[in-house]
Amino acid sequence: MRHYTHVLSNGHSWLSGRVLLLVVTSSLSLTLAACSQSNTSGSDSQPVKVEQSATQNAQVQNESSAPTNAPVNSSSSLLKNVSATVYKDANCGCCKEWVGYAEGHGLSATAQDVTDLSLFKERYGVPQQMRSCHTAVTTDGFVFEGHVPAKYMAQFLANPPTDSIGLAVPSMPVGSPGMEYQDKFMPYKVMQLNKDGSTQVYAAIESPAQQL
């Protein structure tokens, strides 16, 4: 009887381990798939961006050619008077997607491909647990780490909280700006970064609609 009990116990532990591994693997695969899709669409969309730029110079709007996640006219000027340098990896597709998204909301962005992102994250005071794939720094010195929605960037810049240095979206949550993948969405938090190294929740994003 003891032998069977031992076998059942070991079998339960093995099964639990397999289930946990499956959950972790599925979550990681979803994130990688989203960034991979962004990488593909980012490279494919470069000619489209040139066409859109030429169209804008001619002051002709072609709504039918706009991507599905393009901002509506009411929000396209959210970051109109904001300029920022975006430090990123040259091969990061979702970074390119976020830069395009932010520019679509009016941001004047200068992208810089760097070999060691950690140097810039340390320079601008981004805590280790708040880091993501790219770091945007405005001309005023405010930091926006990762896939921060333009809505909250504009809200923050309009009235920066006392002793804060910026906002961060840690990691790369699927469904956040630049990390769109099919109809998938993972709730996430926009975190406020403070000068003393502390952080606090700035906004909790529970649905894609909250990003608009």
Side-chain angles (χ1 to χ4, degrees):
M1 184 64 179
R2 291 181 179 176
H3 173 72
Y4 290 114
T5 302
H6 180 68
V7 171
L8 289 173
S9 176
N10 287 342
H12 176 72
S13 298
W14 175 82
L15 180 59
S16 299
R18 289 293 297 273
V19 172
L20 178 59
L21 179 60
L22 179 61
V23 171
V24 173
T25 303
S26 298
S27 177
L28 179 59
S29 298
L30 184 60
T31 300
L32 291 176
C35 197
S36 176
Q37 185 184 65
S38 296
N39 197 3
T40 301
S41 62
S43 59
D44 292 344
S45 64
Q46 288 180 356
V48 176
K49 286 185 178 180
V50 173
E51 293 177 4
Q52 288 178 345
S53 177
T55 302
Q56 289 172 353
N57 291 337
Q59 295 184 343
V60 178
Q61 296 183 351
N62 185 359
E63 296 180 357
S64 61
S65 64
T68 56
N69 62 344
V72 295
N73 290 337
S74 61
S75 63
S76 61
S77 60
L78 277 173
L79 303 173
K80 182 178 180 181
N81 298 317
V82 182
S83 298
T85 300
V86 183
Y87 301 98
K88 67 180 189 65
D89 184 276
N91 299 313
C92 180
C94 56
C95 294
K96 295 176 183 178
E97 290 293 317
W98 185 86
V99 171
Y101 157 84
E103 288 178 329
H105 283 78
L107 180 69
S108 177
T110 301
Q112 287 195 14
D113 297 328
V114 297
T115 55
D116 191 351
L117 283 168
S118 63
L119 294 178
F120 295 89
K121 297 180 191 299
E122 290 173 5
R123 176 186 299 177
Y124 293 108
V126 181
Q128 185 71 39
Q129 69 276 17
M130 293 289 109
R131 296 181 182 182
S132 183
C133 53
H134 59 266
T135 304
V137 182
T138 68
T139 52
D140 292 331
F142 290 110
V143 180
F144 295 96
E145 176 75 8
H147 296 262
V148 182
K151 169 183 176 180
Y152 295 102
M153 291 178 64
Q155 181 177 303
F156 176 93
L157 291 171
N159 187 24
T162 304
D163 295 328
S164 62
I165 63 171
L167 300 175
V169 171
S171 301
M172 296 179 288
V174 176
S176 59
M179 279 294 294
E180 294 85 359
Y181 177 65
Q182 298 178 0
D183 60 347
K184 308 298 182 183
F185 178 80
M186 298 171 59
Y188 63 93
K189 291 180 174 62
V190 178
M191 303 298 295
Q192 177 180 311
L193 307 179
N194 299 318
K195 293 179 181 179
D196 62 1
S198 64
T199 62
Q200 62 193 78
V201 177
Y202 187 82
I205 314 301
E206 301 294 337
S207 69
Q210 285 182 263
Q211 301 176 134
L212 303 178

